[in-house]
Amino acid sequence: MASGPGCRFLQRPRLIKVAILGAGSIGCFVGGCWQAAGLDVRFVGRKSFADDIRQHGLTVSDYDGWQRTLAPGEVDYRVDGDSLADAGIIALCVKSGATEDAAKEIAAYGRPGTTVISFQNGISNVEVLERHLADRFDVVRGMVPYNVAYLGDGRFHKGVAGVLYAEGGPETRALANSIGESPAALKLSDDMLGIAWGKLLINLNNAVNALSGRPLVEQLLQRDYRRVVAASQREGLRLLKRAGIEPAKVGAVGPALLPHVIGSPDWLFRNLFMKAWKIDEKARSSMADDLAAGRKTEVDYINGELVRLAERLGTNAPINRKVVELVRKAEGGAPPWPPLALRREVLGR
């Protein structure tokens, strides 16, 4: 049974069968919290995670000290696609580059009529899913606003505040009600495209964090890193305005103010904004994790989304294009960038 106070959540009836497809750091955290809340959860992912959880169980925790542990025998973690066959909801948490393969897997094994929620970075994943699945599945846009760190031994830690988002509908409403109060609570919205763009503007920090080679808090405390992020956000906001796209507010700061907050002087940022944001020392970006593990990053689905938007508009996005270029070099083994050097390389000043 799940340990700690809050085991009362396990008394809720298990009405919804959920499959977490792509159960890595985000998927294991979300699925672990949902199972602790009483949902019937199956995890589908890599053999390395399956072996780890089979040995250690699954522990989920957050920055407020909340923690739950599921024993090895309580966690249904599989590596085969046919595990999707009896799910009423599939929460898709694969990396953006694997979206098309995941869609084909869902099409082959999923039950027609199943709701597929994309909890992925970027904007274009839903278009890929709809191209493959819209005739037989209900594709729903979702959003994860926080970072999850894999700490080893089956432990997954949420280091940043926030709740999940998804489009409203009968299935997602029932899912949100079943989850209830939880570190992986689900909030419904009728403006998920706006929320997705708002989240992407925040996620522009991921690439800078990865290039810095530093933990998230340490990177954010360096203004030269933040000035690169702020410049990429300003460029993104100009492109979105030109395209007639209005990004939604995600978190405490609205899109228009975000670059001003991120680029503010150290005394203001440290004493006001960093104290207001709940980020602990374990937090790091998923892009930094990918670089550390030698995996291809999702930069094409974050900064690269703005580069492609600029191309569609017949203009350019030089700052975000430069960041994409540097991350690709880092994927090939280039060393981390010090703050001043990165600012000068990207901004030219």
Side-chain angles (χ1 to χ4, degrees):
M1 302 293 288
S3 64
C7 294
R8 63 184 183 277
F9 292 149
L10 294 177
Q11 304 306 311
R12 295 180 182 178
R14 294 177 178 262
L15 300 177
I16 302 174
K17 179 72 174 182
V18 179
I20 309 289
L21 179 56
S25 295
I26 291 290
C28 283
F29 177 82
V30 169
C33 290
W34 288 1
Q35 184 166 334
L39 276 72
D40 188 356
V41 178
R42 175 174 296 154
F43 302 80
V44 184
R46 297 197 300 267
K47 183 178 183 298
S48 58
F49 279 119
D51 292 342
D52 183 35
I53 291 169
R54 189 176 300 113
Q55 179 178 357
H56 300 286
L58 176 61
T59 296
V60 288
S61 59
D62 76 358
Y63 55 88
D64 270 341
W66 180 93
Q67 178 172 306
R68 300 291 181 271
T69 297
L70 301 167
E74 294 179 287
V75 184
D76 183 4
Y77 197 112
R78 308 188 188 188
V79 297
D80 49 333
D82 59 6
S83 303
L84 304 174
D86 58 348
I89 291 178
I90 297 173
L92 185 60
C93 300
V94 301
K95 295 291 185 180
S96 295
T99 302
E100 187 157 7
D101 288 341
K104 292 176 181 177
E105 192 168 27
I106 293 169
Y109 297 107
R111 185 176 65 198
T114 294
T115 297
V116 179
I117 310 174
S118 170
F119 285 121
Q120 300 170 274
N121 284 327
I123 304 297
S124 56
N125 296 299
V126 168
E127 297 168 10
V128 176
L129 293 172
E130 288 179 338
R131 189 163 62 244
H132 289 274
L133 303 175
D135 58 333
R136 293 191 296 131
F137 297 85
D138 180 21
V139 177
V140 171
R141 190 183 295 275
M143 191 274 282
V144 182
Y146 45 76
N147 302 100
V148 174
Y150 170 53
L151 305 180
D153 297 337
R155 296 175 297 146
F156 300 88
H157 180 77
K158 174 186 175 182
V160 180
V163 298
L164 301 170
Y165 279 85
E167 292 177 48
E171 291 298 319
T172 52
R173 192 170 300 111
L175 176 63
N177 290 337
S178 296
I179 298 165
E181 296 294 328
S182 166
L186 181 64
K187 186 174 181 178
L188 306 183
S189 172
D190 294 328
D191 183 27
M192 281 307 304
L193 185 59
I195 285 176
W197 278 111
K199 171 67 182 333
L200 185 139
L201 292 171
I202 294 172
N203 275 355
L204 294 175
N205 185 70
N206 287 10
V208 175
N209 178 244
L211 290 168
S212 77
R214 306 184 185 202
L216 192 58
V217 169
E218 184 180 332
Q219 173 250 314
L220 284 170
L221 290 176
Q222 296 290 328
R223 192 184 184 198
D224 281 330
Y225 286 138
R226 299 199 312 275
R227 288 175 70 182
V228 175
V229 178
S232 65
Q233 290 170 337
R234 289 190 187 96
E235 184 175 84
L237 285 167
R238 287 194 295 270
L239 291 168
L240 292 175
K241 183 177 181 179
R242 183 166 174 174
I245 298 170
E246 186 173 350
K249 180 181 177 182
V250 177
V253 179
L257 289 177
L258 192 59
H260 301 285
V261 170
I262 294 295
S264 63
D266 281 338
W267 65 267
L268 180 61
F269 187 82
R270 291 168 181 256
N271 293 312
L272 182 59
F273 301 121
M274 279 299 285
K275 289 182 178 179
W277 293 342
K278 295 181 178 179
I279 306 174
D280 69 22
E281 72 281 355
K282 298 185 183 71
R284 56 183 184 256
S285 72
S286 58
M287 199 176 296
D289 285 343
D290 288 338
L291 277 188
R295 296 189 295 262
K296 184 175 174 61
T297 72
E298 292 185 296
V299 71
D300 287 338
Y301 300 90
I302 302 176
N303 303 75
E305 294 275 13
L306 291 170
V307 174
R308 288 190 293 276
L309 177 60
E311 291 171 348
R312 291 196 296 271
L313 294 170
T315 186
N316 196 12
I319 294 171
N320 284 282
R321 186 181 294 278
K322 185 65 175 180
V323 170
V324 171
E325 174 190 322
L326 293 179
V327 172
R328 286 174 176 161
K329 288 181 179 178
E331 291 172 349
W337 284 82
L340 180 59
L342 183 65
R343 190 197 85 196
R344 289 175 172 169
E345 180 70 16
V346 177
L347 304 185
R349 61 181 188 276

